[in-house]
Amino acid sequence: MTLSDSDIDFLVATVAHAGTSEIMPRFRNLSASAISEKTSAVDLVTEADVLAEKQITAALLQRFPTAHIVGEEAYDADRSVIPALRDAPLAFVIDPVDGTFNFASGFPAFGTLLAVTVKGEAVAGIIHDPVMGDSIVSVKGAGAVLKRANGSEAKLRVAEPVGLSDMVGIFSWGHSHPDRRPVIAANMAKTKMALSLNCSAHEYWLVATGKLHFIGHEKLMPWDHLAGVLTHQEAGGYTVKLDGTPYRPGDTEGGILSAPDKESWKMLRRDILGL
């Protein structure tokens, strides 16, 4: 299946509407009962996550009634939805509020991620910032574009390659094996500046717009990465799994690293990850 321009416009509008109707009215306005822990005190879900995902899902199924839907908040009810991404003729992967800890804390670094896959290949991705109302839209083979709420648009390009000591980046070592965490954390001191945002949406936003040189993760869930990886690649960047193989819909193991180019990726894998 090929998505039309009107389909892409519909997806952008659907995500943006969830931001204005379900997410932003609850930002800094959540009661304690509207926030729940999932696996830990930093892995949260709020009523904004649940309601935004339901709204987006309903809109998608109305326009694409046979589509396969993978939503972060609905995942626990049916874990077979992720492996099914490898063969689904058309699928949508939703993270309604990526960076829920930030959202629940009143910190404005969160976003909505939506990826589209066709027969095991990511073909479109949207990263939406509900706070500013801006979106990054990527389409396979057509590049990545920043669409501002004021109507302006700009083509995206990743940062130029630089030496390790001049790099600014993020590696989310909190999900690494405990034996590897101190190694990665210490090696990050070799860079110019190390950040931590706890939000894949803004991490991919920054690396695709050339503000960061690299990002990396060892936890792979499709709602965190599919839209962002396609966006980084369409902005000219190099993203593959830590073993050098392509990242595919349905992959949940192996870690991932995004860099300006292949040589930078090799350097980061060696000098930061020690692999």
Side-chain angles (χ1 to χ4, degrees), residues 33-61:
S33 62
I35 306 170
S36 303
E37 289 187 15
K38 293 165 77 172
T39 62
S40 72
V42 296
D43 184 15
L44 306 177
V45 61
T46 75
E47 63 179 18
D49 298 75
V50 175
L51 294 174
E53 182 172 300
K54 286 181 178 179
Q55 183 183 104
I56 294 169
T57 298
L60 292 173
L61 289 176

Side-chain angles (χ1 to χ4, degrees), residues 1-69:
M1 176 179 178
T2 301
L3 294 176
S4 66
D5 289 344
S6 64
D7 288 332
I8 296 297
D9 290 342
F10 165 80
L11 297 177
V12 174
T14 296
V15 169
H17 179 58
T20 57
S21 64
E22 300 291 358
I23 297 172
M24 290 310 297
R26 293 176 171 85
F27 181 50
R28 296 178 175 170
N29 194 32
L30 287 169
S31 65
S33 62
I35 306 170
S36 303
E37 289 187 15
K38 293 165 77 172
T39 62
S40 72
V42 296
D43 184 15
L44 306 177
V45 61
T46 75
E47 63 179 18
D49 298 75
V50 175
L51 294 174
E53 182 172 300
K54 286 181 178 179
Q55 183 183 104
I56 294 169
T57 298
L60 292 173
L61 289 176
Q62 184 172 13
R63 188 176 180 102
F64 307 99
T66 62
H68 179 63
I69 306 292

Side-chain angles (χ1 to χ4, degrees), residues 157-160 167-170 193-195 197 202-215 232 258-260:
R157 183 70 191 175
V158 300
E160 292 297 321
M167 285 191 175
V168 178
I170 296 170
M193 184 178 359
L195 306 177
L197 296 179
H202 278 283
E203 291 175 18
Y204 280 111
W205 189 296
L206 291 174
V207 79
T209 56
K211 305 303 188 296
L212 297 181
H213 295 95
F214 69 92
I215 60 172
H232 185 252
S258 301

Side-chain angles (χ1 to χ4, degrees), residues 103-117:
F103 176 78
S105 303
F107 179 55
F110 55 88
T112 302
L113 293 159
L114 177 66
V116 187
T117 70

Side-chain angles (χ1 to χ4, degrees), residues 170-239:
I170 296 170
F171 193 89
S172 300
W173 50 264
H175 293 293
S176 301
H177 188 278
D179 291 343
R180 286 172 42 74
R181 293 180 191 179
V183 175
I184 297 170
N187 284 340
M188 288 293 284
K190 299 175 183 178
T191 66
K192 188 176 187 67
M193 184 178 359
L195 306 177
S196 179
L197 296 179
N198 195 34
C199 176
S200 293
H202 278 283
E203 291 175 18
Y204 280 111
W205 189 296
L206 291 174
V207 79
T209 56
K211 305 303 188 296
L212 297 181
H213 295 95
F214 69 92
I215 60 172
H217 308 79
E218 293 201 48
K219 181 182 179 182
L220 293 185
M221 299 307 285
W223 44 79
D224 288 328
H225 298 291
L226 279 173
V229 168
L230 178 63
T231 296
H232 185 252
Q233 292 171 335
E234 288 298 316
Y238 185 79
T239 298

